[in-house]
Amino acid sequence: MNKEELMRRAIALSEKSVMIGGGPFGAVIAKDGAVIAEASNSVTIDYDPTAHAEVNAIRNACARLRTFDLGGCEIYCSCEPCPMCLGAIYWAHLDTIYYANDRKAAAGIGFDDDFIYQEIDCPFADRKLPIQLLLPEEGMKAFDMWRNKTDKTEY
């Protein structure tokens, strides 16, 4: 499939999601034009605020390929990924992101994507949600354990 066909598939998933009670978002992960995985938003269906289309598609692709590294693949999103999904896309090492609607359009229909992007740019003291450092010395033990582990699988 070409890029336009893959994007149309993601858009169709977003429309179907609305019809079945999910949010208006769809995502397709492809490699060399072949669909590896696809998903729609199921936040309200699954009672899971992380069940965005992109995260669901990444989970499906990783399970199908039995890997946590989706290098060599690209993702087609019906909307510009929110910060959570963008982070997941980076963690999964996808090569390219294609999107149809942008975060301003999502904000226009009541989604927080643009607000969260703005919050990320704010100093901690200026954010709407308080964020505080607590017990950093104790928290460092797991990091030290990881640093010293010789048989770890890095990602």
Side-chain angles (χ1 to χ4, degrees):
M1 298 176 87
N2 66 34
K3 290 177 175 130
E4 290 78 13
E5 291 170 318
L6 291 162
M7 181 57 76
R8 286 186 185 104
R9 193 165 175 150
I11 293 167
L13 286 165
S14 72
E15 294 169 357
K16 182 179 179 187
S17 183
V18 172
M19 291 187 284
I20 64 170
F25 306 100
V28 173
I29 295 176
K31 184 172 186 169
D32 300 323
V35 174
I36 301 299
E38 61 185 20
S40 59
N41 177 288
S42 61
V43 168
T44 56
I45 295 166
D46 293 337
Y47 307 105
D48 179 355
T50 69
H52 290 201
E54 298 89 340
V55 171
N56 288 342
I58 289 168
R59 289 174 179 155
N60 292 343
C62 288
R64 179 173 180 201
L65 297 177
R66 300 184 52 76
T67 183
F68 51 80
D69 186 336
L70 297 176
C73 298
E74 48 198 22
I75 189 165
Y76 296 81
C77 311
S78 65
C79 186
E80 178 183 0
C82 75
M84 176 186 68
C85 293
L86 183 62
I89 290 165
Y90 272 95
W91 282 117
H93 302 116
L94 287 151
D95 289 358
T96 308
I97 303 167
Y98 298 96
Y99 67 94
N101 295 312
D102 66 20
R103 66 176 104 156
K104 301 289 185 191
I109 59 169
F111 289 91
D112 290 338
D113 305 44
D114 193 48
F115 165 74
I116 297 170
Y117 271 107
Q118 292 171 28
E119 281 284 287
I120 290 169
D121 284 338
C122 287
F124 285 175
D126 296 338
R127 291 188 182 174
K128 304 284 187 258
L129 181 64
I131 182 168
Q132 299 177 7
L133 183 64
L134 184 63
L135 300 176
E137 296 85 10
E138 292 179 34
M140 192 55 65
K141 182 178 178 185
F143 280 18
D144 290 338
M145 291 169 64
W146 177 260
R147 182 182 301 107
N148 297 323
K149 188 172 176 62
T150 59
D151 61 342
K152 62 188 167 206
T153 302
E154 297 202 29
Y155 57 98

